[in-house]
Amino acid sequence: MSTTAKDEGYRSADQMAVRQREISVSEFFLKNRHLLGFDSGTKALVTAVKEAVDNAIDACEEAGILPDIRVEVFDEEDGVYRVVVEDNGPGIIEKQIARIFGKLLYGSRFHKLSQSRGQQGMGIAAAGMYAQLTTGKPLHIISRVRHEKLATEMLVSIDTAKNRPEIHKKAHTKWDRPHGTRVEAEMEGHYQKGLHSIDMYLKQTAIANPHVRIDFTDPRGEHVNYKRSSKTLPPWPQEIKPHPHGVELGRLIQMLGSTRNRTLIKFLEDEFSRVGRKTAQEIVRRAARNLTERSYPRHIAHAQASALYRAIQKVPVSAPRTDCLVPIGEALMEEGLRKEIDADFFAAVTRPPAVYRGNPFQVEVALAYGAPGGGLEVDEGGRIRKSAGGRKAAGEGIVLRADEPAFLLRFANRVPLLYEQGACAVTKAVIQTNWRAYGLQQPKRGLPVAPLAIMVHLASVWVPFTSEAKEAIANYPEIVKELKLGLQACGRKLAGHLHRSQRLKREYDKRTQIEQYLPHIGIALQEILDLSDSERDAAVEQLDDVLNQKRKMR
């Protein structure tokens, strides 16, 4: 039976059309704030600090300045916290301040292919939107550019209906910093210690960024200083063009329609990475469909673009350039772990660059193993002794325990990933690695059980996160393969250390057993040879030296 206008509840298409309207990106994320990492009070505080600190380090590095970051969290009242992040970066010019902090999807890094912490241009503006939603207060920003007499002070919120900034106050004020930016936000939240805390985020940030100094004051007034262990800035990554094998058909059509090149051959050479004249000619030849080197890109039809796309996939093209990647490096990864974790053994491996979907990436893995003071070491004289105890680490320490699963530290472009560990490709790779082959216990489908910290870093021009909150890396087969190869390389180093430790323990037990008899031998020699007490002690000492020299461990 057909529906008529008289039927109860019937709505015409015209009536429905009245209610249909455009949705602002700000409105969308206001209702879906969990997608940006603001789904609980604890997580909201961590996310707000994380976004502000990541932006601060990026700005300092881009300006060639060693980052000095100050983070303060104040407990106001009734579950409201005031978060302050201040840096010594280059500052922000006045006309850009409101756009950066008061507009979602606004930034400088989304359209370029080079390694950076921020990608989407949403993080700090989303933190401001969350603060605005929970307390009704705008972001308070002070920024000063070098050689400016006064800093710019601004109160900024987001007009969520139109996704544009609203400036509530703008003034010029004195500020004791010669240049830099200070961001202040009041928001509902919950401060706590533990694995998912601001403290842990800052500690892991210090491990992966040894050139950064961070001063942190928590709501209780406790102060922690993460000192820099390197005074050298990492090289600034170079920007690259898209690799042809990483471009999908829709993107290719879009590029053809917007290019300024007037011939297809120039389009292929100029718009893609690693495409020279011969490669471009081969692509055009294989595409056929009446395409020539002089075809006008904007006039290429959909069927021709499809043929061009298929030809691109078939023609071999060199791997993308890798100067767009800046790995931490084996030495600095080990140094970062030594600085924050007490352990007996450290190892690190940096894998060669690889490619997924045309995007270059590089995997680094480092290990810290063994509780401090729990092992043995050999001194220069060949004597075996228990290793010295550890030192007190700054802030909340990462403690390695023999009866617990390994502590996993995940990083993407030097940013710690604290949440969604189970959904991350890094966790998958660690679990799939056979740690029993390297002398560790490992339950089925679980992390190895050992006093072990595993640090994994993925550097890429575009990290494939599973969500906008950037908490887990997607399971691309190419990435998982490289992760496993890095873990296996570190595992082999660990196996060598464990094997040597076992030999050392056996030798230590033997020497200890022999040493028990040395005093008795000394007494016997004294009686037989009529030695004085000093001569007896000298003989025992000489026997002890011979024992350690003859059974020297290497």
Side-chain angles (χ1 to χ4, degrees):
M1 188 174 64
S2 63
T3 304
T4 68
K6 294 181 179 179
D7 290 341
E8 187 176 352
Y10 174 79
R11 298 287 184 277
S12 69
D14 290 335
Q15 289 174 313
M16 293 172 67
V18 171
R19 305 179 64 178
Q20 294 165 352
R21 64 188 179 91
E22 184 181 357
I23 302 169
S24 152
V25 65
S26 305
E27 283 183 307
F28 174 80
F29 282 113
L30 193 65
K31 288 189 175 181
N32 297 282
R33 60 191 188 191
H34 59 281
L35 296 177
L36 296 173
F38 294 94
D39 46 330
S40 71
T42 305
K43 198 171 172 183
L45 279 186
V46 175
T47 304
V49 170
K50 171 178 172 291
E51 296 295 347
V53 170
D54 290 351
N55 284 357
I57 298 175
D58 264 345
C60 288
E61 288 180 356
E62 189 168 358
I65 300 169
L66 278 173
D68 283 332
I69 313 294
R70 184 186 300 166
V71 180
E72 297 170 295
V73 180
F74 301 95
D75 187 354
E76 296 297 322
E77 58 180 1
D78 299 329
V80 173
Y81 289 82
R82 183 159 55 91
V83 176
V84 179
V85 176
E86 187 174 313
D87 66 61
N88 64 333
I92 306 168
I93 60 174
E94 186 175 311
K95 69 177 183 181
Q96 287 290 77
I97 292 176
R99 294 172 185 164
I100 290 172
F101 294 96
K103 185 178 178 68
L104 293 185
L105 295 177
Y106 185 86
S108 60
R109 303 186 181 97
F110 183 81
H111 293 98
K112 70 176 186 179
L113 287 177
S114 67
Q115 180 183 330
S116 64
R117 293 170 181 79
Q119 289 184 170
Q120 302 159 345
M122 286 202 293
I124 191 61
M129 191 171 67
Y130 175 79
Q132 178 183 332
L133 176 68
T134 55
T135 65
K137 294 186 177 180
L139 283 179
H140 180 198
I141 301 132
I142 299 176
S143 188
R144 184 176 180 184
V145 177
R146 191 192 296 268
H147 303 312
E148 278 188 350
K149 290 183 179 178
L150 297 173
T152 302
E153 183 178 12
M154 211 174 278
L155 296 179
V156 178
S157 65
I158 300 180
D159 178 348
T160 54
K162 298 176 180 176
N163 187 34
R164 69 182 184 188
E166 287 185 330
I167 300 173
H168 301 271
K169 174 189 173 184
K170 184 166 73 173
H172 295 99
T173 183
K174 290 185 178 178
W175 197 33
D176 56 359
R177 279 190 182 271
H179 51 85
T181 301
R182 175 187 171 95
V183 184
E184 193 172 322
E186 280 193 38
M187 61 182 65
E188 284 186 1
H190 176 67
Y191 176 82
Q192 66 178 27
K193 301 275 189 180
L195 295 179
H196 302 127
S197 65
I198 295 172
D199 304 67
M200 185 55 70
Y201 162 74
L202 295 177
K203 177 175 282 292
Q204 294 194 20
T205 298
I207 290 174
N209 300 272
H211 61 291
V212 177
R213 187 170 73 84
I214 303 174
D215 287 315
F216 173 51
T217 305
D218 72 10
R220 299 165 192 166
E222 295 177 4
H223 182 76
V224 180
N225 177 242
Y226 299 97
K227 297 179 181 177
R228 64 169 60 93
S229 58
S230 170
K231 293 184 178 179
T232 305
L233 276 169
W236 185 245
Q238 298 299 310
E239 185 177 350
I240 63 169
K241 297 172 184 172
H243 192 271
H245 288 175
V247 174
E248 292 164 330
L249 176 58
R251 173 70 175 141
L252 176 63
I253 293 172
Q254 185 184 35
M255 292 173 70
L256 286 167
S258 60
T259 183
R260 293 183 177 179
N261 285 297
R262 302 179 69 82
T263 64
L264 181 56
I265 196 80
K266 285 293 291 178
F267 166 77
L268 292 170
E269 285 180 334
D270 292 351
E271 304 279 345
F272 292 104
S273 171
R274 297 294 197 183
V275 176
R277 176 55 61 104
K278 286 187 177 179
T279 304
Q281 288 172 334
E282 179 64 15
I283 291 172
V284 174
R285 188 187 69 78
R286 290 203 186 196
R289 286 274 185 175
N290 294 326
L291 287 172
T292 67
E293 295 180 12
R294 301 191 62 78
S295 295
Y296 190 55
R298 294 191 180 192
H299 292 171
I300 290 176
H302 186 279
Q304 291 175 310
S306 299
L308 186 65
Y309 172 74
R310 290 193 294 272
I312 287 174
Q313 303 308 313
K314 293 175 183 174
V315 174
V317 182
S318 303
R321 285 165 39 199
T322 55
D323 54 357
C324 55
L325 301 176
V326 182
I328 300 171
E330 295 177 358
L332 287 180
M333 286 184 75
E334 277 194 37
E335 179 61 32
L337 286 178
R338 287 180 193 276
K339 193 176 67 165
E340 304 298 339
I341 300 177
D342 286 330
D344 281 341
F345 173 75
F346 297 88
V349 168
T350 297
R351 292 282 306 159
V355 178
Y356 84 96
R357 288 184 52 199
N359 297 313
F361 71 95
Q362 197 161 7
V363 166
E364 297 180 284
V365 179
L367 300 180
Y369 177 86
L376 299 171
E377 60 186 14
V378 184
D379 64 16
E380 293 180 352
R383 294 179 183 276
I384 302 173
R385 63 188 180 189
K386 290 189 175 181
S387 58
R391 56 179 174 72
K392 186 179 179 182
E396 191 167 329
I398 298 174
V399 181
L400 307 181
R401 302 183 193 283
D403 57 350
E404 293 183 359
F407 193 96
L408 183 57
L409 298 94
R410 300 171 294 133
F411 296 88
N413 286 350
R414 298 177 182 243
V415 178
L417 308 178
L418 299 187
Y419 294 91
E420 302 290 343
Q421 178 168 303
C424 187
V426 172
T427 309
K428 181 179 178 181
V430 173
I431 289 174
Q432 290 181 354
T433 300
N434 181 15
W435 293 96
R436 296 189 194 92
Y438 309 122
L440 302 182
Q441 296 180 14
Q442 183 181 20
K444 190 176 182 180
R445 297 176 184 172
L447 296 170
V449 177
L452 176 69
I454 305 172
M455 175 181 177
V456 180
H457 175 231
L458 175 74
S460 179
V461 298
W462 190 260
V463 178
F465 291 112
T466 57
S467 72
E468 291 82 356
K470 299 183 290 185
E471 292 160 348
I473 299 168
N475 291 316
Y476 278 90
E478 300 92 339
I479 292 177
V480 173
K481 177 186 173 186
E482 278 297 314
L483 289 169
K484 289 168 74 173
L485 289 173
L487 290 163
Q488 289 164 359
C490 262
R492 288 191 288 275
K493 291 186 178 183
L494 177 60
H497 167 74
L498 292 176
H499 180 66
R500 184 175 183 277
S501 298
Q502 289 168 358
R503 286 197 298 122
L504 207 59
K505 178 68 169 56
R506 287 195 296 270
E507 180 62 26
Y508 178 76
D509 291 342
K510 288 178 184 175
R511 291 188 189 186
T512 303
Q513 195 169 10
I514 294 172
E515 284 170 355
Q516 290 177 354
Y517 295 100
L518 289 182
H520 302 286
I521 295 171
I523 292 170
L525 288 173
Q526 185 177 27
E527 292 176 354
I528 295 169
L529 302 176
D530 195 20
L531 302 176
S532 65
D533 288 348
S534 59
E535 289 172 329
R536 178 201 62 196
D537 294 342
V540 169
E541 188 175 345
Q542 189 173 3
L543 286 172
D544 187 56
D545 290 341
V546 170
L547 171 69
N548 287 292
Q549 288 172 6
K550 292 294 183 183
R551 301 183 66 88
K552 197 167 185 178
M553 292 286 297
R554 296 185 182 280

